[in-house]
Amino acid sequence: MATRKEVADMAGVSEATVSRVMNGVGPIRESTRQKVLEAAQTLNYHMNAIASSFARGRSGNLGVVIPHVPKVRLFSTYYFSEMMSGIGEAARAHGCGLLLLYRDPAVPYDYVSLFRTQRIDGCLVLGANSLPSETTGIAAMAEAGLPFCLIDQSFDDPGVSAVVAAHETGSYHAVSHLIESGFGRIGFLNGAPQYSTSADRLAGYRRALEESGIGFDPGLLYEGNYSMRSGQAAAAAVFADREKLDAVFVANDRMAIGLLQGLRERGCETPEDMRIVGYDDSDASRISDPPLTTVKVPFYEMGLTAADMLLERIPGWSAGASVFRRTMPTELVVRKSSAK
Amino acid sequence: MATRKEVADMAGVSEATVSRVMNGVGPIRESTRQKVLEAAQTLNYHMNAIASSFARGRSGNLGVVIPHVPKVRLFSTYYFSEMMSGIGEAARAHGCGLLLLYRDPAVPYDYVSLFRTQRIDGCLVLGANSLPSETTGIAAMAEAGLPFCLIDQSFDDPGVSAVVAAHETGSYHAVSHLIESGFGRIGFLNGAPQYSTSADRLAGYRRALEESGIGFDPGLLYEGNYSMRSGQAAAAAVFADREKLDAVFVANDRMAIGLLQGLRERGCETPEDMRIVGYDDSDASRISDPPLTTVKVPFYEMGLTAADMLLERIPGWSAGASVFRRTMPTELVVRKSSAK
């Protein structure tokens, strides 16, 4: 079977150049690319990439573990579909497969055996939370020194890599925008507290209110579960409190649209009677009526970055030195739902 | 390591019952479920499921091969995200992993080596076409008698399983609806001809026109590539032909929305000046302005059915007897874009 070195020798280039061409990464002179592709074709290098990863004791697969949520079409949500597109792009560029596995969020997941049985070489964990049923499995993976990374969930353990977004800052800007527009009485419809992303948003909401001198009132907090239905359900409580509220900051766009619809059913219009700010900058936020002011989160780039950084590190992974953390920026997007 | 039989013996049930409980499939008495779960936990059966599939020479993975389309976030399209959700649900119920692999549509893909290297036990092929670069790889898999299934693409080979939708009928109903509404001069904006789904739609369009006595006019055919941008681009030609057209039938919703926007930019409003019918019944068809008349395709159910039927057949797969075909129904959904 041909090796990368044989292809490099035949094409008269370095092994690194062979990798870059085969993975379609980085700028490369067209004549060089052609020489490498011809050599690879002559030596039938492409199909041996899989065989050689097996020979090295590797599966050639990146694991992606996602929660099973009954009745939810996870890939059809903006959050997961964008992350998956980014992860897929990185996997393709590295020439590896993505092994998608569902976990039951109520039961500790045995990540370690996925590595032991050589089903995966590295693991991305999506939609994790901080409940013991989740953290047990993740801590075991960290303790075993295995290459993995959480996306959009932080975890207080130096052995855990994570790519997250600046949700505290994003929330701070969203709430500050409402305050600066003259809407000081601001409710907050958050998601479940076991997600670090919910805690980050609460911290940003609180900081904006406290820094402005308005102060934090726990009586204006509402809770949903990030679904549109839970936003619709929250409309009852928000409507009952409407005399105390100018605006509601909502932890994602789907809940925000559900809240907006629930309020409209009760005769309370956005933005005339209530201002609403969502979160995510999903497609739905743009086509909602009215379009939502929201906070853009780079989910595609988060998936791409996490997969790319993990895949780059796997060959020389060392439990202590290889762990990485990245925080991606968020950005306020002002549309009609928060208008004066 | 515990086997399924040991769990069955400890719980006092059949092995089939153990599988049904572990896979969460079918109705099961709660007391039986509890007995099986306790036995499985005592024997640490869950994690051995993976090891035992390896011992049997199986990977425990279902391959899903999708085309790489530069700059397109495939998971963020309605078509792929719905299919993936259905496939994911079936994989979860069967306790297997989904191995996602990208192929370059311009190069024959070596499916057979995925089986030889035990990376996958079965394979689903999404977004295939009828060009030689695609059919070579698929024919090799059929010749080797391997368990695989195409989704939404038919292939004239008795060794190829496929789950498709009734696009000929769906298109026939869409065009007949326009004719019955009094719009007899109907253009057709189709996707690329290498997809059997494009050919099926053309056949249905043509049959409706011929049966009604209007007759088929090749001068009213337009071609895009199923992207919104290609629909916008087609607006120039449709607008130039507007005096010859009452309506345009479009092969998917994204192109239809692109066409609608492109016509609007030219001052041609839907449905007042031009009737448009889309295809897919995507989320976008409902929130488009005006909402699109379209043809509902059960992509989620197609993914679920293909994965479920394939996974059920893999243990006893026999090249001749196991091949399967299913055609799922499509349904006309009438909304404002085709109104009189």
Side-chain angles (χ1 to χ4, degrees):
Chain A
M1 286 193 206
T3 63
R4 187 176 66 163
K5 187 163 185 320
E6 291 175 280
V7 178
D9 288 348
M10 178 178 272
V13 301
S14 70
E15 289 189 55
T17 301
V18 173
S19 291
R20 282 163 64 208
V21 170
M22 298 308 286
N23 296 332
V25 173
I28 218 110
R29 197 179 302 171
E30 185 54 29
S31 59
T32 307
R33 206 177 77 88
Q34 284 305 327
K35 271 192 293 187
V36 171
L37 289 177
E38 277 164 29
Q41 197 167 10
T42 308
L43 296 167
N44 197 17
Y45 175 67
H46 179 71
M47 62 169 287
N48 293 336
I50 294 168
S52 70
S53 73
F54 265 74
R56 290 196 313 272
R58 296 224 184 95
S59 64
N61 297 338
L62 176 64
V64 178
V65 179
I66 57 181
H68 175 247
V69 188
K71 294 184 187 168
V72 173
R73 299 183 183 182
L74 222 54
F75 290 104
S76 305
T77 64
Y78 181 77
Y79 182 88
F80 282 100
S81 63
E82 284 287 296
M83 277 189 198
M84 280 304 303
S85 289
I87 294 167
E89 181 53 31
R92 192 199 59 79
H94 285 264
C96 84
L98 277 187
L99 183 60
L100 246 104
L101 300 151
Y102 287 88
R103 67 174 188 277
D104 176 349
V107 178
Y109 190 73
D110 187 3
Y111 297 94
V112 175
S113 75
L114 293 177
F115 286 90
R116 283 222 188 97
T117 54
Q118 288 184 17
R119 282 187 102 188
I120 60 173
D121 304 329
C123 192
L124 295 173
V125 183
L126 271 59
N129 63 50
S130 63
L131 299 178
S133 52
E134 287 270 29
T135 57
T136 306
I138 290 165
M141 198 163 29
E143 202 169 321
L146 293 165
F148 73 99
C149 177
L150 310 189
I151 307 186
D152 205 31
Q153 170 77 11
S154 53
F155 200 93
D156 196 17
D157 180 326
V160 177
S161 299
V163 171
V164 299
H167 295 309
E168 197 274 347
T169 311
S171 303
Y172 174 82
H173 287 309
V175 176
S176 297
H177 156 71
L178 286 168
I179 296 170
E180 286 158 15
S181 303
F183 305 116
R185 303 179 307 165
I186 305 167
F188 179 29
L189 173 54
N190 202 358
Q194 65 262 34
Y195 300 104
S196 65
T197 53
S198 304
D200 291 345
R201 286 175 174 88
L202 178 60
Y205 164 78
R206 188 168 179 156
R207 180 162 68 94
L209 288 168
E210 289 175 345
E211 281 188 9
S212 73
I214 293 171
F216 172 67
D217 175 1
L220 299 182
L221 298 180
Y222 308 88
E223 190 181 318
N225 65 6
Y226 289 114
S227 72
M228 192 174 296
R229 187 182 289 257
S230 74
Q232 274 168 324
V238 169
F239 185 74
D241 292 347
R242 66 191 180 284
E243 300 300 334
K244 297 190 282 180
L245 293 168
D246 301 318
V248 183
F249 171 51
V250 187
N252 77 345
D253 290 337
R254 278 192 296 166
M255 281 199 296
I257 291 169
L259 174 63
L260 193 152
Q261 292 175 345
L263 290 176
R264 180 167 292 158
E265 283 164 17
R266 292 169 173 82
C268 177
E269 284 293 328
T270 301
E272 295 78 5
D273 308 315
M274 185 71 72
R275 273 53 53 180
I276 292 179
V277 174
Y279 207 98
D280 283 351
D281 192 34
S282 60
D283 296 331
S285 73
R286 251 157 281 163
I287 49 194
S288 144
D289 174 27
L292 282 183
T293 294
T294 186
V295 176
K296 184 179 171 69
V297 182
F299 294 118
Y300 176 87
E301 290 76 12
M302 289 165 76
L304 183 73
T305 302
D308 197 49
M309 293 186 75
L310 186 61
L311 287 167
E312 273 183 10
R313 282 163 176 72
I314 285 173
W317 184 267
S318 120
S322 300
V323 169
F324 59 94
R325 304 254 174 141
R326 280 291 178 283
T327 303
M328 314 285 279
T330 52
E331 188 190 338
L332 180 68
V333 180
V334 177
R335 299 199 186 97
K336 202 182 160 191
S337 71
S338 63
K340 279 183 241 199
Chain B
M1 286 191 206
T3 63
R4 186 176 68 162
K5 184 162 187 320
E6 290 174 278
V7 176
D9 289 347
M10 180 181 272
V13 300
S14 70
E15 289 190 54
T17 301
V18 172
S19 291
R20 284 164 64 209
V21 170
M22 298 308 285
N23 295 333
V25 173
I28 218 112
R29 198 178 300 171
E30 184 53 29
S31 59
T32 305
R33 207 177 75 89
Q34 284 305 326
K35 271 192 294 187
V36 171
L37 289 176
E38 276 164 32
Q41 196 166 13
T42 307
L43 296 167
N44 197 17
Y45 175 67
H46 179 70
M47 62 170 287
N48 292 336
I50 295 167
S52 70
S53 73
F54 265 75
R56 289 195 314 271
R58 297 226 181 93
S59 65
N61 298 338
L62 176 64
V64 179
V65 179
I66 57 182
H68 175 247
V69 189
K71 294 183 188 169
V72 172
R73 298 184 183 181
L74 222 55
F75 290 104
S76 304
T77 64
Y78 181 77
Y79 183 88
F80 283 101
S81 63
E82 284 287 296
M83 277 189 197
M84 281 303 303
S85 289
I87 294 167
E89 181 54 31
R92 191 200 60 80
H94 284 266
C96 84
L98 278 186
L99 183 61
L100 245 105
L101 299 152
Y102 287 88
R103 68 174 188 277
D104 176 349
V107 179
Y109 190 74
D110 187 3
Y111 296 94
V112 176
S113 75
L114 294 176
F115 287 90
R116 284 222 186 95
T117 55
Q118 289 184 16
R119 281 187 104 189
I120 60 171
D121 304 329
C123 193
L124 296 174
V125 183
L126 271 58
N129 63 51
S130 62
L131 299 178
S133 52
E134 287 270 30
T135 56
T136 306
I138 290 166
M141 197 163 31
E143 201 170 320
L146 293 166
F148 72 98
C149 177
L150 310 189
I151 307 185
D152 205 32
Q153 170 76 11
S154 54
F155 199 95
D156 196 17
D157 179 327
V160 176
S161 300
V163 170
V164 299
H167 295 309
E168 197 274 346
T169 313
S171 303
Y172 174 81
H173 286 309
V175 176
S176 298
H177 156 71
L178 286 168
I179 296 170
E180 286 158 17
S181 302
F183 305 117
R185 303 180 306 164
I186 304 168
F188 179 28
L189 173 55
N190 202 358
Q194 66 261 35
Y195 300 105
S196 65
T197 54
S198 303
D200 291 345
R201 286 175 174 88
L202 178 60
Y205 163 79
R206 187 170 180 155
R207 179 162 68 94
L209 288 168
E210 289 176 343
E211 282 189 9
S212 72
I214 294 171
F216 171 67
D217 175 1
L220 300 181
L221 297 182
Y222 308 89
E223 190 180 316
N225 65 5
Y226 289 115
S227 72
M228 193 176 293
R229 186 183 290 258
S230 73
Q232 274 169 324
V238 169
F239 185 74
D241 292 346
R242 66 190 180 282
E243 300 300 334
K244 297 190 282 180
L245 294 168
D246 301 318
V248 184
F249 171 51
V250 187
N252 78 345
D253 289 337
R254 279 191 297 167
M255 282 200 295
I257 291 171
L259 175 63
L260 193 153
Q261 292 175 345
L263 289 177
R264 180 167 293 158
E265 283 165 18
R266 291 167 171 83
C268 178
E269 284 292 328
T270 302
E272 295 78 5
D273 308 315
M274 186 69 73
R275 273 54 50 181
I276 293 179
V277 174
Y279 207 99
D280 282 352
D281 191 34
S282 61
D283 297 330
S285 73
R286 253 157 280 163
I287 50 195
S288 144
D289 174 26
L292 282 183
T293 294
T294 186
V295 177
K296 184 180 171 69
V297 183
F299 295 116
Y300 176 88
E301 289 76 12
M302 289 165 76
L304 184 73
T305 301
D308 197 50
M309 291 185 76
L310 185 62
L311 287 167
E312 272 183 10
R313 282 163 176 71
I314 285 173
W317 185 266
S318 121
S322 299
V323 169
F324 59 96
R325 304 253 175 141
R326 280 291 177 285
T327 303
M328 315 284 281
T330 51
E331 189 190 337
L332 179 68
V333 180
V334 177
R335 299 201 186 95
K336 202 182 159 192
S337 70
S338 63
K340 280 184 239 198

